[in-house]
């Protein structure tokens, strides 16, 4: 007989489960936990990898005690860890690098899927882009079969239903990948445009994008970043995003749109860091004309920004 737990399939089940595990985020003072339903991610950074191993293993012992106290079990087979920034573990003749919980070693992986995004340990996004390309290829097959049966307006609807969402979902995170990697999606998007317009496979697509009023992939990234910037300035983002950007001290008002004075771009050493929103966002923002940046609402900003980008085609 089950004496405790959360009934599955009930309306209150998800809420009761969240209440049940809500205090897990406070078991450690040095680890950062990200909880989404029953998916939990633990983050920690340290310049000394062996100190990182010691501290993480010590904190996981505390987590193990929390599980036992709350009568929960951890599925070790579905638990793994990633080392960001390390291609090879530094040699140490006295021991091997291991992350353990309940004295059971957790396996290391190069990639992992988090909320529909495939994250790799070098943050190059090659695996995720290949995953999206596979999705687009299937949608292109549908679009191709429909091109002789539907008018252009309906094909556009299919594009915005089956292809566009894959290009925009979390684009702010992976959209700054290297051109050699992201080119796979650029080619597929161009193929979709040629199918919709029934153009030759070698046709120049710039005029076609303008004709259909569709944003190119690189401009989708700019659009997503600038919308994020606008919402940050207007304080329309969740509290978790409040540290994503650094405002200049002299920028007291949320609508201070003076050039080169609103945001501070932090220093960076790696190309992965350069692709972060804290770096790319302010750079994109400074490219926008004042009439776009001073839009009175998010909807108005979105319309003006899209029009501004398309006018440059």
């Amino acid at each position: 007989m089950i004496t405790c737990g959360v009934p599955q399939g009930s309306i209150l089940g998800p809420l009761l489960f969240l209440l049940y595990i809500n205090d897990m985020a406070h078991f450690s003072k040095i680890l950062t936990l990200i909880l989404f339903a029953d998916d939990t991610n633990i983050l920690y950074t340290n310049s000394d990898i062996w100190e990182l191993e010691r501290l993480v293993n010590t904190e996981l012992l505390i987590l193990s005690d929390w599980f036992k106290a709350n009568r929960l079990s951890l599925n070790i087979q579905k638990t793994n860890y990633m080392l960001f920034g390390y291609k090879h573990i530094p040699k140490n003749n006295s021991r091997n690098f291991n992350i353990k919980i309940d004295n059971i070693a957790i396996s290391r992986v190069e990639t992992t899927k988090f909320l529909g995004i495939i994250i790799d340990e070098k943050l190059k996004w090659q695996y995720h882009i290949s995953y999206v390309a596979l999705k687009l290829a299937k949608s292109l097959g549908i679009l191709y079969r429909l091109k002789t049966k539907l008018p252009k307006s309906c094909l556009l609807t299919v594009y915005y239903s089956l292809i566009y969402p894959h290009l925009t979902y979390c684009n702010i995170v992976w959209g700054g990948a290297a051109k050699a990697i992201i080119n796979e999606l650029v080619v597929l998007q161009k193929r979709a445009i040629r199918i919709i317009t029934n153009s030759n496979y070698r046709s120049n697509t710039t005029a076609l994008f303008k004709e259909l009023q569709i944003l190119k992939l690189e401009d989708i990234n700019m659009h997503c970043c600038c919308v994020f910037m606008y919402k940050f300035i207007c304080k329309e983002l969740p509290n978790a995003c409040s540290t994503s950007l650094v405002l200049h001290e002299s920028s007291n008002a949320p609508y201070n749109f003076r050039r080169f004075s609103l945001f501070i771009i932090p220093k960076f050493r790696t190309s992965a860091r350069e692709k972060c929103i804290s770096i790319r966002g302010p750079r994109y923002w400074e490219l926008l004309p004042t009439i776009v940046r001073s839009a009175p609402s998010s909807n108005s900003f979105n319309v003006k920004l899209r029009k501004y980008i398309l006018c440059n085609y």
Side-chain angles (χ1 to χ4, degrees):
M1 178 182 292
I2 298 175
T3 58
C4 65
V6 176
Q8 293 187 359
S10 63
I11 296 175
L12 280 175
L15 176 60
L16 293 173
F17 176 77
L18 291 176
L19 291 174
Y20 190 71
I21 68 166
N22 196 45
D23 63 324
M24 183 171 66
H26 306 292
F27 85 90
S28 173
K29 294 182 179 180
I30 67 170
L31 303 182
T32 301
L33 273 74
I34 301 175
L35 279 70
F36 184 85
D38 62 343
D39 190 2
T40 302
N41 292 264
I42 300 176
L43 306 175
Y44 180 66
T45 180
N46 196 305
S47 57
D48 185 339
I49 193 169
W50 300 110
E51 182 67 6
L52 180 146
E53 177 197 42
R54 185 187 68 80
L55 290 172
V56 169
N57 283 330
T58 300
E59 295 300 307
L60 288 182
L61 287 175
I62 302 174
L63 178 61
S64 177
D65 292 338
W66 184 92
F67 275 119
K68 293 172 183 176
N70 288 273
R71 300 185 181 183
L72 292 173
S73 60
L74 179 67
N75 190 335
I76 299 294
Q77 301 301 322
K78 293 184 178 180
T79 303
N80 46 59
Y81 74 92
M82 293 177 63
L83 282 176
F84 295 99
Y86 282 96
K87 187 175 183 180
H88 301 290
I89 303 295
K91 291 184 179 181
N92 189 320
N93 296 328
S94 61
R95 65 182 183 194
N96 295 322
F97 185 89
N98 278 310
I99 300 296
K100 299 180 179 180
I101 187 167
D102 284 338
N103 210 31
I104 301 175
I106 301 174
S107 60
R108 180 187 177 187
V109 296
E110 294 181 358
T111 65
T112 189
K113 195 172 184 180
F114 178 60
L115 301 181
I117 301 295
I118 299 178
I119 303 173
D120 61 277
E121 60 185 2
K122 287 299 181 181
L123 297 180
K124 292 184 177 180
W125 307 108
Q126 184 171 2
Y127 295 95
H128 177 72
I129 288 172
S130 296
Y131 170 75
V132 174
L134 183 61
K135 296 277 188 180
L136 295 189
K138 294 178 180 178
S139 299
L140 283 177
I142 298 173
L143 195 63
Y144 184 81
R145 288 191 289 272
L146 293 174
K147 74 172 185 175
T148 58
K149 299 177 177 62
L150 296 177
K152 188 186 296 184
S153 59
C154 292
L155 292 177
L156 273 174
T157 301
V158 174
Y159 170 85
Y160 280 110
S161 300
L162 300 181
I163 297 176
Y164 190 71
H166 292 299
L167 298 177
T168 57
Y169 180 67
C170 287
N171 184 283
I172 192 175
V173 175
W174 57 265
K179 290 184 178 180
I181 295 175
I182 210 167
N183 187 60
E184 186 176 6
L185 298 183
V186 173
V187 171
L188 291 173
Q189 189 191 26
K190 289 181 178 180
R191 190 179 301 171
I193 300 304
R194 293 188 180 109
I195 292 174
I196 294 172
T197 57
N198 197 25
S199 302
N200 186 279
Y201 73 97
R202 288 186 176 180
S203 299
N204 186 285
T205 54
T206 300
L208 301 180
F209 275 106
K210 187 171 184 178
E211 175 191 340
L212 298 175
Q213 296 289 285
I214 291 178
L215 297 178
K216 298 177 183 178
L217 182 57
E218 59 182 311
D219 294 321
I220 289 176
N221 180 246
M222 178 181 181
H223 185 274
C224 291
C225 289
C226 288
V227 170
F228 183 92
M229 302 291 291
Y230 182 88
K231 290 184 176 181
F232 179 89
I233 294 170
C234 298
K235 299 182 180 180
E236 296 178 1
L237 294 174
N239 292 333
C241 300
S242 60
T243 58
S244 301
L245 299 161
V246 181
L247 284 170
H248 196 281
E249 293 179 357
S250 62
S251 304
N252 298 319
Y255 288 96
N256 184 349
F257 294 113
R258 290 180 299 165
R259 286 184 177 273
F260 307 108
S261 63
L262 190 58
F263 294 98
I264 297 176
I265 298 180
K267 295 181 180 179
F268 60 90
R269 293 181 299 171
T270 63
S271 57
R273 174 64 173 163
E274 187 179 10
K275 297 167 188 173
C276 294
I277 184 63
S278 60
I279 309 296
R280 286 186 297 121
R283 289 177 175 176
Y284 279 142
W285 186 257
E286 297 298 341
L287 296 175
L288 301 181
T290 304
I291 191 172
V292 176
R293 290 182 289 161
S294 58
S297 67
S298 295
N299 289 336
S300 176
F301 177 80
N302 189 34
V303 172
K304 290 183 177 182
L305 175 60
R306 186 181 182 85
K307 184 177 179 181
Y308 167 74
I309 295 174
L310 289 171
C311 284
N312 291 323
Y313 284 3

